[in-house]
Amino acid sequence: RVVVRRGGRRETEDETKKMKACVIALALSGASAFNFGGAAKKSSKVPTGVGAERPSAALPWTTTVLDGSYVGDKGFDPLGFSKYAPGAWWFGEEGDGSLKIFREAELIHGRIAQLACLGWVFPELYHFPGNEKTGVDAYAAMNPFDAVDQIPSAAWTQILAFMASLEILRINRLKDPDYMPGDLGLGQGEGRWNPFRFDYTPEEYEEKQLQELEHCRLAMLGIVGLAAKSSGSDLGVLAQLGESFSTPEYASPAGFYFPVGI
């Protein structure tokens, strides 16, 4: 095994390669359940997600109005948001009594978090080369907090324009009363773009929806952990993780601290 020193630290090349391979495998396993379609077949009746007050399955000592009709609904609503289901207020609509906007927000934030988790570690595996115009090291920062300050203005403009166009498209779709939360028109179903030829049964499709939702929730927690790990360090997350499997330079034999023979 070859020992490589980085900024006063050391780690083995084979350990680093193993860690990178694990990260790629985990990222791809999460993406396999990333199902953009909201429903296998568009239903004429979109579930509201709320009903009469009942004991919560997730928090048995509390009650909730969540009725379990939404995929992944376990009755977890300790702050009672489900009692105040909003309408599309930006169109002047009053509360429609459904959780459509809440589920839409959960899916969108979760999908962004999945991409963010992958993007947080990907620059350590590969990053675009800079140039004289943008700066030779414009994309070389391994810590995402440092990378924000190095992104060229032109790149920020493209990123923000792309984000705005997606949000406009998504908000306009919310006007459709039959719109299923999170449905981007991809996946199986008539008139939908299905490049991977998905053809699930209704039971399989519901399971894929649940998988996506669980990955979304895990990713939202995961990106917080990645951000916390990157704060206060000039190293990337993978570099820090690799050091966990190497012997620190300040390690000494136990006899240095304890009498010989103990």
Side-chain angles (χ1 to χ4, degrees), residues 125-209:
L125 307 176
Y126 174 81
H127 58 270
F128 294 106
N131 53 52
E132 295 182 359
K133 185 175 181 180
T134 62
V136 178
D137 297 328
Y139 305 105
M142 295 297 98
N143 188 306
F145 290 119
D146 297 332
V148 170
D149 296 329
Q150 297 187 23
I151 298 177
S153 300
W156 270 120
T157 302
Q158 297 175 45
I159 293 172
L160 294 176
F162 180 70
M163 292 169 57
S165 62
L166 290 181
E167 281 299 290
I168 292 173
L169 175 63
R170 185 180 65 84
I171 290 175
N172 284 330
R173 288 188 173 188
L174 284 172
K175 291 188 291 185
D176 184 357
D178 291 334
Y179 173 75
M180 293 293 293
D183 186 1
L184 299 182
L186 305 178
Q188 70 186 69
E190 184 178 354
R192 304 165 67 85
W193 190 47
N194 187 14
F196 297 105
R197 301 288 187 263
F198 292 134
D199 187 20
Y200 299 118
T201 64
E203 293 77 16
E204 292 173 336
Y205 201 94
E206 183 173 344
E207 177 64 23
K208 291 298 179 182
Q209 287 181 306

Side-chain angles (χ1 to χ4, degrees), residues 48-57 62-69 73 75 77 82-83 97 99:
T48 63
V50 293
E53 194 163 333
R54 68 194 69 196
S56 169
T62 65
T63 59
T64 181
V65 295
L66 296 171
D67 62 6
S69 59
D73 178 8
D77 184 24
S82 57
K83 297 179 181 179
L99 302 179

Side-chain angles (χ1 to χ4, degrees), residues 12 42-43 66 71 88 100 105 126 129 139 142 156 192 196 205 218-219 225 228 230 232-233 241:
T12 58
K42 204 167 189 178
S43 172
L66 296 171
V71 174
K100 179 171 67 175
Y126 174 81
Y139 305 105
M142 295 297 98
W156 270 120
R192 304 165 67 85
F196 297 105
Y205 201 94
L218 180 61
S230 297
S233 173
L241 190 60

Side-chain angles (χ1 to χ4, degrees), residues 1 11-19 242 245-246:
R1 300 193 304 175
E11 59 184 18
T12 58
E13 288 184 349
D14 57 341
E15 287 171 347
T16 303
K17 290 180 180 179
K18 289 179 181 178
M19 294 310 305
F245 297 90
S246 62

Side-chain angles (χ1 to χ4, degrees), residues 229-248:
K229 186 67 175 175
S230 297
S231 61
S233 173
D234 58 350
L235 294 178
V237 173
L238 296 186
Q240 295 183 58
L241 190 60
E243 288 187 346
S244 302
F245 297 90
S246 62
T247 304

